[in-house]
Amino acid sequence: MSPLATLAAPDLRIAGLVPLSTVDWPGRLVATVFCQGCPWRCTYCHNAAILDPHAPGAVPFDELGRLLERRRGLLDGVVFSGGEATMQHAVVPAARAVRERGFAVGLHTGGAFPTRMQALLGVDTDGRRVGSPLVDWVGFDVKAAPAGYTDLVGRAGAWQRSARSLQLLLASGVDHELRMTVTPQLIDQVPTVIETVHRGGGTHLVLQKARADGAESGFARQLAAVPDWTERFDAAAHRTRQLGAQQGLEVTVRA
């Protein structure tokens, strides 16, 4: 038997647990689990402290279980975030365990691990339904234009992985939100992202303005060097809404 087949929910390495969040799943009250590890190194990342995939977890899975028992009837669900939640095989049994407790499951991902996405979405390699999904909603980060992925995340082949996961998500029928965090360096890539999402079958994209809060000092300095960043973002968002409308793609802004 493969060692991976023996992994269980308690094997999930949890870097942090937020008992109540109103922002990690729009319209839902959730607990948010920050999973340890990520293969990518996005310049604007706000969770740099939990990117090391070899670091041990700081919160035992049983603590999440106890929280859910105390908050039964008060919480709608649990969001698995990161880092990159799908980096760990144990996220699959962890999501199943949460659903078995009667809570909805959300996922934040950049799509770095398509095979794990298949398992969580309950689909085959073509996105066809082969089982019940283990997630009720996915917040999917479209990081950049296809040609910009490698520079942003520091890993060759990242776009191909993300595109595969996005294809699976859109084919699965699972509720989702597609979003892009926009930085001064990425702002010129937004029109291409719009076109890419539209061609892939997406119908809605959320633009998020990059902030320095929680990011590494180098990125904070980059933002500080663009004093009119808010004005530039607002102008780009206006143009993007118009472009999206022309293509039948709804664009909203989360500043």
Side-chain angles (χ1 to χ4, degrees):
M1 179 182 292
S2 166
L4 297 180
T6 65
L7 285 174
D11 294 305
L12 186 71
R13 286 174 290 117
I14 300 175
L17 173 62
V18 175
L20 176 63
S21 170
T22 61
V23 298
D24 287 320
W25 185 342
R28 299 284 188 106
L29 298 177
V30 299
T32 303
V33 173
F34 289 94
C35 302
Q36 182 70 41
C38 183
W40 295 347
R41 295 297 181 267
C42 303
T43 56
Y44 55 77
C45 181
H46 289 192
N47 292 325
I50 68 172
L51 299 183
D52 182 355
H54 304 294
V59 180
F61 189 81
D62 284 350
E63 185 170 329
L64 172 62
R66 290 191 293 270
L67 171 69
L68 294 181
E69 286 304 312
R70 294 195 306 271
R71 298 290 178 89
R72 188 172 297 278
L74 301 175
L75 286 176
D76 298 314
V78 174
V79 170
F80 291 94
S81 188
E84 171 53 60
T86 64
M87 188 171 193
Q88 296 190 49
H89 293 269
V91 75
V92 176
R96 184 178 294 112
V98 169
R99 286 181 66 85
E100 289 174 349
R101 288 177 178 267
F103 291 87
V105 176
L107 173 71
H108 290 176
T109 182
F113 295 90
T115 301
R116 220 90 71 239
M117 287 290 290
Q118 273 184 245
L120 291 166
L121 294 169
V123 298
D124 63 13
T125 55
D126 294 317
R128 293 186 296 250
R129 174 73 52 217
V130 294
S132 298
L134 298 177
V135 291
D136 301 279
W137 174 85
V138 177
F140 192 97
D141 293 310
V142 183
K143 300 284 187 179
Y149 258 73
T150 299
D151 284 344
L152 176 65
V153 310
R155 183 69 65 90
W159 164 245
Q160 287 77 7
R161 287 174 167 268
S162 181
R164 179 70 182 131
S165 292
L166 178 59
Q167 178 187 31
L168 292 169
L169 173 61
L170 294 176
S172 73
V174 170
D175 191 24
H176 59 272
E177 174 184 271
L178 308 183
R179 64 268 187 108
M180 177 188 183
T181 298
V182 182
T183 71
Q185 291 73 32
L186 293 173
I187 199 166
D188 291 337
Q189 298 183 33
V190 174
T192 302
V193 170
I194 291 292
E195 295 170 4
T196 301
V197 169
H198 175 64
R199 286 199 307 270
T203 59
H204 183 209
L205 180 70
V206 178
L207 297 183
Q208 303 178 145
K209 184 175 71 173
R211 296 179 177 276
D213 304 348
E216 292 191 325
S217 58
F219 181 71
R221 287 194 296 271
Q222 290 177 16
L223 273 188
V226 187
D228 62 342
W229 171 227
T230 295
E231 291 76 13
R232 290 184 61 190
F233 175 82
D234 290 344
H238 177 70
R239 293 192 300 270
T240 303
R241 286 193 191 97
Q242 293 178 322
L243 177 61
Q246 293 170 7
Q247 301 192 19
L249 182 77
E250 182 184 1
V251 178
T252 58
V253 174
R254 186 176 295 142

